[in-house]
Amino acid sequence: MAGALFEQEQICLAVMVINTNVGSVKVANMMRSSVSAMNDSLARLSSGSRIVHAADDAAGVAVATKFTSQTNRINAVRNTLANTLSFVQTADGFLQKANKALHRMGELATMAMDKTKSAGDLDNYNIEFQDLKKFMRDMQDRQMNGKDLFKGDNISVTNDAHGQSFSYTTAKLDGTTYSKMVDGDIYEPPPFTWQTTKETWKVSKNGYMLRQDANKITEKYYTISSDTTIFYLKQEAWYKEGVGWSTTNNGGTKYNAGSFIKEYDVAGHPDITHNPATQLGNAYAVSYGANVFISKHNPATTGNGNIEATEVITHNKDTFSNMDLNAVDAAIRPASDFYARGSFLAADPGAGISTTALSAGGMVAVNPITSGEDTAATNYAAGAYVTSDPTDVDVDPDAEETSQSHVLTNSGAKTAIKRVQRALEQLTSDRASLGTVMGRVHRTHDQLGVLRENLSQAVSRITDTNMAKESTKFARHQILVNSSTDMLKHANIVPQHALRLILGL
């Protein structure tokens, strides 16, 4: 019974009516949907964007907007990095020119130290030298876009889209290292002053400066003139021809402790042909060559040795020797005062001692007051300013002339070379720092380029239209619209059948 009623209801729904064309309504709705879908495809195909309206993909719009903003900031940062690179490269270009100028200044200073050059030659060298100094000073105020290149400024560089940055410091061409090299124009020899790096003394009288270590022997002493090796007997010993030396009586000649012996046939002595130091050991005898033998005892009269008086050289006290007294046995070593290289001597130490004549006002590195050689000498502490040249290799070679740079004198040229070397070292460091900045800028620029590319790809995947896929959709929707249009025409014919039925009555 229920099944029959359902079938009857279905039949009633499918009956022919005039007022409501249900089929036409259905077709129209389908046609409207197809037209809307086709219009959406047209918009995507014509704009190239998958998201024409925010409603198309709200989450996608939010993500794409964020990525696009980040991409725009990255582009701005890359522009900033490009500007920074230009700034640094400009500075480095100037420093390359400064490097050439400093090299030339070093050449001029070196040539000015040539003793064969005349005063006129030095003047010519100095003119070019001073012009190069002006060139270096002009460079101190160079700018790019109103920004100082060489004032030691701290420059901050943005290196990502979130505002992070790194900083570097520009070269400071007016800093101490450079300014000592390039300040001032000197065309005449300036007042000479030097700053010492160690304690020194200015002597008040003429004298000599030692060029080697030496000893002032303070008592009468003796040396040997011959090339013979001399032996000093520390204990008594006996020598027998054909047998040699013995520490006990071997029937030979006895030599007392403290005697001086040589291997030779001397009248009144046996013909000594054996080395006592070798036979008896160093506890009994010590050997000396003539060039290292020195004694406070006369070897010809001390003990009962075989040294002849004609071989002995007698020296008065307070004379100098360059022999190494520490190599001499303490029992025969004469009393002495040690004078280090660079010491001042009021009197000529004599032949065999290397010295240089020194005028009053000259500088020495060893205290002449305590030695008694010049009690009126003036002492200068390290860092003091002096008016006498202390740059001698045995005084204070690192002392620096404090006048502004020039090459008019040997001292000035020597100081100029030191200053050029320091300036070049600083320049090398400054250029290395700039090179580091350039490398970092390049790497950061490339890194941001990769990030921008990946962000652009991400945005494209979210927002860009897949043309092949969307074209397929458009074709489908277009076919459906055409089909719906045709079907709507047929659906509108259905009420006409009801009319024919009525007319047929």
Side-chain angles (χ1 to χ4, degrees):
M1 183 68 179
L5 290 174
F6 178 77
E7 183 177 352
Q8 183 179 2
E9 183 180 352
Q10 290 294 100
I11 292 172
C12 290
L13 288 175
V15 296
M16 183 178 295
V17 296
I18 295 175
N19 289 334
T20 304
N21 190 343
V22 177
S24 177
V25 172
K26 283 186 177 181
V27 171
N29 286 336
M30 292 179 181
M31 179 178 176
R32 189 180 302 109
S33 176
S34 295
V35 169
S36 177
M38 184 180 71
N39 288 335
D40 288 343
S41 292
L42 279 172
R44 293 188 186 105
L45 289 170
S46 61
S47 66
S49 176
R50 187 179 70 85
I51 304 174
V52 179
H53 305 288
D56 294 340
D57 186 353
V61 168
V63 173
T65 301
K66 181 176 68 174
F67 285 174
T68 301
S69 176
Q70 186 176 358
T71 300
N72 292 335
R73 294 197 304 274
I74 287 174
N75 289 334
V77 171
R78 296 187 83 210
N79 288 335
T80 299
L81 290 172
N83 293 334
T84 300
L85 184 61
S86 297
F87 185 86
V88 174
Q89 287 175 335
T90 301
D92 186 60
F94 278 115
L95 291 183
Q96 289 181 37
K97 300 302 180 184
N99 183 60
K100 291 183 179 179
L102 288 172
H103 279 301
R104 179 57 181 166
M105 293 168 81
E107 292 175 11
L108 292 169
T110 302
M111 290 189 292
M113 294 184 69
D114 185 352
K115 301 295 186 181
T116 66
K117 295 297 187 295
S118 66
D121 293 331
L122 297 182
D123 285 338
N124 292 332
Y125 290 154
N126 190 62
I127 289 173
E128 183 181 354
F129 189 87
Q130 299 302 323
D131 187 67
L132 289 169
K133 286 170 58 179
K134 291 179 183 177
F135 172 77
M136 291 289 293
R137 291 200 300 273
D138 290 343
M139 200 178 296
Q140 294 173 358
D141 298 321
R142 295 294 182 184
Q143 293 183 332
M144 178 181 175
N145 195 32
K147 187 70 176 178
D148 291 323
L149 289 168
F150 304 115
K151 293 297 184 181
D153 297 326
N154 188 269
I155 306 295
S156 180
V157 183
T158 304
N159 64 349
D160 75 357
H162 303 292
Q164 291 185 349
S165 62
F166 70 91
S167 61
Y168 72 96
T169 303
T170 62
K172 187 172 176 60
L173 288 187
D174 56 355
T176 302
T177 302
Y178 292 114
S179 62
K180 280 190 174 183
M181 181 67 250
V182 303
D183 283 355
D185 295 323
I186 306 297
Y187 292 100
E188 293 182 1
F192 292 110
T193 56
W194 292 263
Q195 185 176 22
T196 62
T197 63
K198 57 189 290 189
E199 189 176 20
T200 55
W201 288 262
K202 181 168 69 174
V203 299
S204 64
K205 57 185 177 182
N206 297 338
Y208 302 86
M209 183 167 62
L210 278 173
R211 294 300 185 180
Q212 63 179 129
D213 293 343
N215 293 287
K216 185 178 183 180
I217 312 302
T218 56
E219 62 179 317
K220 192 175 183 179
Y221 66 100
Y222 306 88
T223 58
I224 296 296
S225 62
S226 68
D227 294 332
T228 304
T229 299
I230 188 170
F231 301 93
Y232 169 65
L233 293 180
K234 301 169 71 173
Q235 301 185 47
E236 63 180 17
W238 286 260
Y239 182 80
K240 185 175 183 178
E241 290 187 25
V243 176
W245 292 93
S246 174
T247 58
T248 58
N249 191 345
N250 61 357
T253 301
K254 178 184 177 182
Y255 288 95
N256 297 328
S259 298
F260 296 88
I261 306 296
K262 65 177 180 177
E263 292 183 78
Y264 201 71
D265 185 8
V266 179
H269 294 271
D271 183 8
I272 298 178
T273 59
H274 295 79
N275 185 321
T278 302
Q279 283 195 310
L280 303 178
N282 290 331
Y284 278 83
V286 182
S287 64
Y288 299 99
N291 61 333
V292 295
F293 175 76
I294 186 171
S295 172
K296 63 183 178 180
H297 304 303
N298 188 336
T301 59
T302 302
N304 60 338
N306 64 347
I307 303 300
E308 301 173 271
T310 54
E311 299 176 295
V312 178
I313 302 173
T314 302
H315 303 268
N316 295 325
K317 70 173 185 176
D318 295 331
T319 56
F320 284 81
S321 171
N322 57 11
M323 290 186 183
D324 181 7
L325 298 185
N326 292 324
V328 180
D329 191 274
I332 62 173
R333 184 189 307 150
S336 64
D337 293 326
F338 176 73
Y339 282 69
R341 179 174 180 170
S343 296
F344 175 75
L345 302 177
D348 187 351
I353 306 297
S354 178
T355 61
T356 298
L358 191 66
S359 301
M363 304 296 291
V364 293
V366 181
N367 191 343
I369 300 174
T370 54
S371 67
E373 298 290 337
D374 184 7
T375 56
T378 304
N379 173 248
Y380 294 94
Y385 292 91
V386 298
T387 56
S388 297
D389 187 356
T391 58
D392 186 276
V393 66
D394 290 328
V395 183
D396 187 4
D398 294 324
E400 187 170 303
E401 187 178 331
T402 56
S403 59
Q404 293 170 335
S405 299
H406 65 91
V407 293
L408 292 167
T409 64
N410 185 274
S411 174
K414 184 177 180 180
T415 299
I417 289 175
K418 291 180 180 178
R419 291 176 180 175
V420 165
Q421 289 174 333
R422 294 187 192 125
L424 282 171
E425 288 175 0
Q426 183 62 50
L427 182 69
T428 301
S429 176
D430 289 339
R431 290 197 65 196
S433 297
L434 291 180
T436 301
V437 174
M438 282 189 276
R440 182 167 185 177
V441 168
H442 276 298
R443 289 190 294 272
T444 304
H445 190 273
D446 293 343
Q447 180 188 43
L448 291 177
V450 173
L451 179 57
R452 182 184 64 175
E453 178 184 346
N454 290 331
L455 286 173
S456 297
Q457 289 177 351
V459 171
S460 175
R461 283 191 288 268
I462 295 171
T463 63
D464 290 346
T465 299
N466 184 332
M467 301 302 287
K469 181 178 179 181
E470 200 61 46
S471 295
T472 301
K473 286 184 179 181
F474 175 75
R476 174 174 173 271
H477 296 317
Q478 189 177 36
I479 291 170
L480 288 174
V481 168
N482 291 333
S483 176
S484 297
T485 302
D486 191 51
M487 292 303 103
L488 182 59
K489 180 178 67 174
H490 290 292
N492 288 333
I493 296 174
V494 172
Q496 296 179 12
H497 292 296
L499 179 61
R500 288 176 184 173
L501 182 61
I502 294 171
L503 292 176
L505 293 174

